Amino acid sequence: MADKKAQLIIEGNAPVELPVLTGTVGPDVIDVRSLTATGRFTFDPGFMSTASCESKITYIDGDKGILLHRGYPIEQLAEQSDYLETCYLLLNGELPSKEEKAQFVSTIKNHTMVHEQLKTFFNGFRRDAHPMAIMCGVVGALSAFYHDSLDINNPQHREVSAMRLVAKMPTIAAMTYKYSMGQPMMYPRNDLNYAENFLHMMFNTPCEIKPISPVLAKAMDKIFILHADHEQNASTSTVRLAGSSGANPFACIAAGIAALWGPAHGGANEAVLAMLDEIGDVSNIDKFIAKAKDKNDPFKLMGFGHRVYKNRDPRATVMKQTCDEVLGELGITNDPQLELAMRLEEIALTDPYFKERNLYPNVDFYSGIILKAIGIPTSMFTVIFALARTVGWISHWKEMLSGPYKIGRPRQLYTGYEQRDLPANRD
Ligand code: CMC
């Protein structure tokens, strides 16, 4: 894989020869691992130029707007697959046969309930706690409930933990919502599919079980597929880094949830709705566009821009179609907030500032609008992202543990004081 070489010349020194690695597709990478022998490191805050690992799971071409899971385009998975099949694909590398799919779905259904005692854990939280705060705590706490599968060096344990996480995330996510509402938590129903079951646990109560709309369940499933994985983003890298120390999978996923929560990452879907509320009316858009362009103003247009996509976010294209389907199903034709969002998109797409910087609407711009239309409160948006991304996190964690790996330990460019002595007299 390393047939090409790069040379690094540091003034006054002999050239350092570095191997150039070639992937299946995508740019070559310069292997700088041998550089430490020269007593030097590379400097790359934000990892703009650094590949942190080798992976076979997901490929993104940000310039062309391509997203592939195990080689399959996201558009095809969203249209022709379902979330659990996509989970199988991410976890195992290939699409399942009919029998394998049935077995996988059955295993997931066997694990949908959580330990009864986990419910008491919720009572320690304030009712108005943010669901992501509860999620971080409760998912981390799973390691205190499922001791039987915590040996990370045992492939069988890793498999069981992966199944438990994918199966229990909808249950825990819905529990955080029910807790905030003061409603009884709903048990999962294994006669429903993954998305239907989630909507059932969210919106039904023991005294009223309403049927789940197939259109909304399908939309929910698509949202799960579109968020399932996205290679080495901040939260996935966090999961890998936590996992590289040998931490248990539940602790690693809790770390991923924490990283996802920020508004520059998964928290953006909630931030989009907050921003639309703040803008309030179409007549205020120009003022907010000006704020977004002002370097002295921290305001950013939420749901716009991406570290990797510099053309279009393919997830956003599918999400926009889904948005139309959901709004059609619900008969929402003249929602003022939606109108505001569409106008904002139109203006941003034609404004030179956004065009020059390749700032296009990302997946989070539309997902918030759909989730709101389905009746999901904004505080739950990032929880849903976390639920769906769990399979990606756990696939990367499993991939890392299945091969040789080292503890992640970046170095730094130190710019603080040189060594100095404490003053003799400090009275
Ligand atoms: N509004 C206004 N200006 C922006 C925006 C924005 N949303 N995003 C980037 N810029 C500007 C930025 O100020 C910079 O300008 P200049 O070159 O003049 O200094 C230029 O565009 C390049 O941006 P950057 O911040 O260097 O890009 P980045 O790769 O570090 O950040 C980002 C990517 C997603 C964090 C950023 O675009 C952003 O904060 N967007 C809003 C939050 C958002 O929607 N996040 C969800 C990402 S998609 C879901 C996910 O994967 O989590």
Side-chain angles (χ1 to χ4, degrees), residues 125-366:
F125 290 98
R126 286 168 52 138
R127 292 270 175 192
D128 61 354
H130 195 287
M132 281 297 277
I134 302 182
M135 201 75 175
C136 287
V138 172
V139 173
L142 290 177
S143 46
F145 286 84
Y146 301 102
H147 296 136
D148 60 340
S149 59
L150 294 183
D151 179 1
I152 61 155
N153 297 316
N154 180 330
Q156 193 55 35
H157 281 212
R158 297 203 292 265
E159 194 60 31
V160 173
S161 292
M163 294 297 149
R164 282 185 170 144
L165 277 157
V166 173
K168 292 182 201 309
M169 285 303 270
T171 314
I172 295 171
M175 285 167 89
T176 66
Y177 175 60
K178 289 297 192 191
Y179 183 72
S180 73
M181 296 291 285
Q183 288 183 3
M185 290 163 180
M186 297 296 286
Y187 285 109
R189 265 183 52 191
N190 289 349
D191 59 319
L192 300 176
N193 70 31
Y194 196 84
E196 288 169 340
N197 175 47
F198 175 63
L199 293 174
H200 156 74
M201 291 187 291
M202 282 289 292
F203 296 120
N204 281 332
T205 63
C207 47
E208 195 175 6
I209 305 283
K210 286 178 277 178
I212 306 298
S213 150
V215 176
L216 298 190
K218 181 87 195 129
M220 198 71 242
D221 197 71
K222 264 192 200 170
I223 291 176
F224 291 157
I225 295 175
L226 294 173
H227 287 96
D229 189 43
H230 215 225
E231 52 119 303
Q232 313 309 325
N233 52 77
S235 57
T236 305
S237 301
T238 301
V239 170
R240 279 189 182 256
L241 197 55
S244 76
S245 75
N248 77 66
F250 303 107
C252 295
I253 300 304
I257 294 171
L260 185 77
W261 194 358
H265 192 5
N269 52 14
E270 183 178 345
V272 168
L273 269 275
M275 174 188 75
L276 292 176
D277 275 344
E278 199 188 343
I279 298 176
D281 188 77
V282 176
S283 61
N284 294 325
I285 290 181
D286 287 350
K287 196 174 86 193
F288 280 87
I289 294 271
K291 269 167 77 63
K293 293 184 201 175
D294 182 355
K295 287 283 155 252
N296 299 317
D297 192 322
F299 176 80
K300 277 193 172 175
L301 224 47
M302 287 292 131
F304 280 81
H306 198 274
R307 167 60 62 82
V308 185
Y309 294 122
K310 299 301 175 198
N311 178 325
R312 67 181 181 99
D313 179 342
R315 303 167 301 169
T317 312
V318 181
M319 202 63 99
K320 193 171 183 190
Q321 280 166 12
T322 313
C323 189
D324 294 341
E325 285 160 24
V326 167
L327 298 176
E329 160 78 3
L330 297 170
I332 301 173
T333 46
N334 57 352
D335 180 65
Q337 203 169 40
L338 181 68
E339 214 175 289
L340 182 61
M342 295 306 127
R343 186 77 192 113
L344 188 65
E345 180 196 11
E346 205 180 296
I347 292 175
L349 285 176
T350 48
D351 189 296
Y353 173 94
F354 291 89
K355 283 174 79 173
E356 279 157 20
R357 290 169 179 75
N358 299 313
L359 301 171
Y360 294 88
N362 57 49
V363 69
D364 285 330
F365 187 69
Y366 303 105

Side-chain angles (χ1 to χ4, degrees), residues 47 50-59 70 90-91 152 229-257 259 265 389-410:
F47 307 116
T50 298
S52 61
C53 63
E54 185 190 327
S55 181
K56 293 181 168 52
I57 302 174
T58 290
Y59 173 72
R70 304 285 191 183
L90 288 167
L91 287 164
I152 61 155
D229 189 43
H230 215 225
E231 52 119 303
Q232 313 309 325
N233 52 77
S235 57
T236 305
S237 301
T238 301
V239 170
R240 279 189 182 256
L241 197 55
S244 76
S245 75
N248 77 66
F250 303 107
C252 295
I253 300 304
I257 294 171
H265 192 5
R389 181 56 58 84
T390 294
V391 72
W393 291 330
I394 206 81
S395 301
H396 283 272
W397 175 81
K398 276 183 70 194
E399 180 180 65
M400 182 180 72
L401 295 190
S402 313
Y405 66 98
K406 287 183 94 66
I407 184 166
R409 201 329 184 164

